[in-house]
Amino acid sequence: PTIAGPAAAIAEASEKIYCTCPDVVLCYTLGQIFNKLTPILEAGEENGLPPGHGLCSLQQIRAGGLAKGIIPIPDLVLTSSYYCDMGSKADELLHERYGHAAVYADGSMDSRWGEFPDVLPERVEFLGSQLEKVLDRAQTVLGVEITTEARHRGALRSGQLFGALRELVDLIRGAETQPISIVEVEVARRLTSGSCSRRFMMDGPITIDILNKEVRERVAQGTAVVEKGSPRIMILMAHFSDPSIMRMMENIGLSIPVTVHTTLASRIMKKTSFISGEDLAEEQLERGPFHGSCGEIKRAAEAAQEFHVDGVIFNYIFNCRPIAMLSHLLKQFVEKETGIPVLSLEMDMYDSRTYSLGSLRTRVEAFAEMLRAKRSYGGT
């Protein structure tokens, strides 16, 4: 689910409910660990989402996983129809094929430029009512009662997850050298947004706490994955299924302490309880991406300054409408407002067949050389 709050409450309603993004799970297992994702993508292309049409490869993974029987047919699909509009259309196709129930959270990202971070009360009310609709539908289809207590527990466990992630981000930000690869940081970040089973919600904070302990030890020992003094950059987010892309950037001498989406996920939540859909809607809109293009762009500029990076690589997904729309506007805004150079790097975050490591390396190496030269000449 794009907004994980309702899923956390649903998972707390019964220990028999498993709520997750199965396509993301396949990216990190069959993709990152075993490098066996291509047959799943091909199965998705053969089952309703053909190649060459600019379709979301993450949705192709979902379709392929269902076609191969790796992903079980769900009892209910929760999906957004306004941020990830291609996701809702793909789920509609899968509903026609497999017959599962689905509920769509509608909304609007047409905020006026300059409106963010203010949020119109009407937008909070509307999105809140949509999230309540999700919970009502879940109760009917799954046969559970999502009580106020379940909502509270879900919010509490989510807060613990985000708090542990924030500690990890702060540890890396304060380190003299980058102690672990951004690949590992992003695995931890996915834990806060990709799965909401009750077992995970209980074990997730403990898992990240163990990682944080090991990172503190590496910081104390001066362990580094890139050379001291390397240019620091921020990227949009790490590749989901191919760790070699991020390793390439680190191997050519770029320190990547943080991603834009990690800074958004690790923002301290103002509310520690989730009673109504409007509570969650307000929290999500204030983070930026669900507010509109202006929100995500301004949050990226804030994060670049907060982490004192030398450059930004906006490695945008060419087949994702809300992200691809920002590709050049974000570059113009961040460079004008902060003076930090930005490289707009087109790629596919889930499918490595579209862009080769070599072609991406050529552009990143040139950007890295420019950042090193800028440092040598005193930042001018």
Side-chain angles (χ1 to χ4, degrees):
T2 310
I3 298 178
I10 293 169
E12 285 294 336
S14 171
E15 61 183 12
K16 296 181 179 180
I17 296 176
Y18 178 62
C19 188
T20 191
C21 298
D23 30 31
V24 174
V25 173
L26 293 182
C27 279
Y28 274 84
T29 51
L30 291 180
Q32 287 217 22
I33 298 174
F34 297 109
N35 192 25
K36 297 291 184 182
L37 197 58
T38 297
I40 309 298
L41 284 159
E42 291 174 345
E45 293 170 344
E46 294 166 359
N47 286 272
L49 298 175
H53 288 70
L55 300 174
C56 177
S57 45
L58 192 64
Q59 303 302 326
Q60 290 173 330
I61 292 170
R62 178 173 300 187
L66 281 163
K68 283 184 166 291
I70 297 173
I71 298 174
I73 298 173
D75 296 292
L76 178 65
V77 170
L78 318 178
T79 189
S80 153
S81 59
Y82 75 104
Y83 184 81
C84 182
D85 52 357
M86 198 182 301
S88 60
K89 293 186 180 302
D91 280 324
E92 197 170 40
L93 166 69
L94 296 174
H95 164 75
E96 292 299 321
R97 175 161 293 186
Y98 299 106
H100 56 67
V103 57
Y104 303 96
D106 201 2
S108 170
M109 291 174 61
D110 298 327
S111 53
R112 294 170 295 177
W113 187 267
E115 182 181 303
F116 183 82
D118 295 332
V119 182
L120 294 175
E122 294 87 349
R123 293 191 66 186
V124 175
E125 181 181 357
F126 179 72
L127 182 56
S129 68
Q130 290 291 301
L131 299 179
E132 288 291 345
K133 178 186 71 174
V134 168
L135 294 173
D136 290 343
R137 180 71 168 148
Q139 289 187 123
T140 301
V141 173
L142 303 177
V144 296
E145 182 181 2
I146 304 172
T147 63
T148 300
E149 183 182 358
R151 297 184 183 209
H152 276 304
R153 286 199 307 267
L156 176 62
R157 297 195 200 282
S158 294
Q160 291 171 340
L161 271 169
F162 288 122
L165 178 64
R166 182 69 192 186
E167 182 181 356
L168 174 62
V169 170
D170 288 341
L171 282 170
I172 295 174
R173 176 172 53 180
E176 188 175 358
T177 56
Q178 186 180 333
I180 60 173
S181 170
I182 193 63
V183 175
E184 282 78 47
V185 177
E186 282 287 89
V187 171
R189 201 267 291 184
R190 302 276 186 252
L191 292 177
T192 64
S193 57
S195 179
C196 297
S197 67
R198 180 183 288 188
R199 176 181 173 184
F200 162 74
M201 297 293 288
M202 295 174 63
D203 293 347
I206 299 172
T207 303
I208 301 180
D209 283 340
I210 293 172
L211 175 62
N212 290 343
K213 178 182 177 182
E214 295 176 353
V215 170
R216 281 193 292 269
E217 293 173 352
R218 292 174 71 87
V219 171
Q221 295 166 0
T223 304
V225 296
V226 295
E227 186 177 345
K228 183 179 179 180
S230 298
R232 290 164 55 93
I233 67 165
M234 179 177 71
I235 61 175
L236 172 65
M237 54 183 170
H239 202 289
F240 279 57
S241 61
D242 186 355
S244 69
I245 305 293
M246 299 300 108
R247 299 288 191 189
M248 173 269 291
M249 295 182 183
E250 292 170 343
N251 289 339
I252 65 176
L254 290 175
S255 173
I256 315 175
V258 72
T259 71
V260 175
H261 279 200
T262 300
T263 64
L264 294 176
S266 64
R267 289 180 62 83
I268 300 300
M269 294 187 293
K270 294 179 181 179
K271 296 180 179 180
T272 56
S273 62
F274 166 35
I275 298 178
S276 70
E278 290 189 16
D279 293 331
L280 182 60
E282 184 176 9
E283 194 74 51
Q284 293 293 328
L285 288 169
E286 289 180 353
R287 290 181 184 273
F290 294 111
H291 191 290
S293 298
C294 178
E296 185 152 10
I297 288 171
K298 287 191 174 182
R299 286 297 188 214
E302 290 174 1
Q305 292 178 303
E306 180 185 356
F307 282 82
H308 305 289
V309 296
D310 299 297
V312 175
I313 295 181
F314 191 72
N315 52 325
Y316 65 95
I317 311 169
F318 83 99
N319 51 8
C320 179
R321 178 188 59 84
I323 293 178
M325 281 175 57
L326 309 180
S327 58
H328 294 78
L329 185 59
L330 183 142
K331 172 180 170 65
Q332 293 172 357
F333 182 86
V334 172
E335 290 184 340
K336 180 180 178 181
E337 296 294 320
T338 70
I340 299 171
V342 178
L343 169 65
S344 287
L345 188 66
E346 181 178 290
M347 60 188 300
D348 189 321
M349 210 67 72
Y350 316 108
D351 184 358
S352 292
R353 301 173 302 167
T354 311
Y355 297 94
S356 69
L357 183 65
S359 64
L360 295 173
R361 179 193 294 272
T362 300
R363 297 196 63 196
V364 174
E365 281 181 333
F367 188 64
E369 285 300 320
M370 184 269 288
L371 294 180
R372 282 191 280 266
K374 186 177 180 181
R375 273 194 167 194
S376 301
Y377 286 96
T380 59

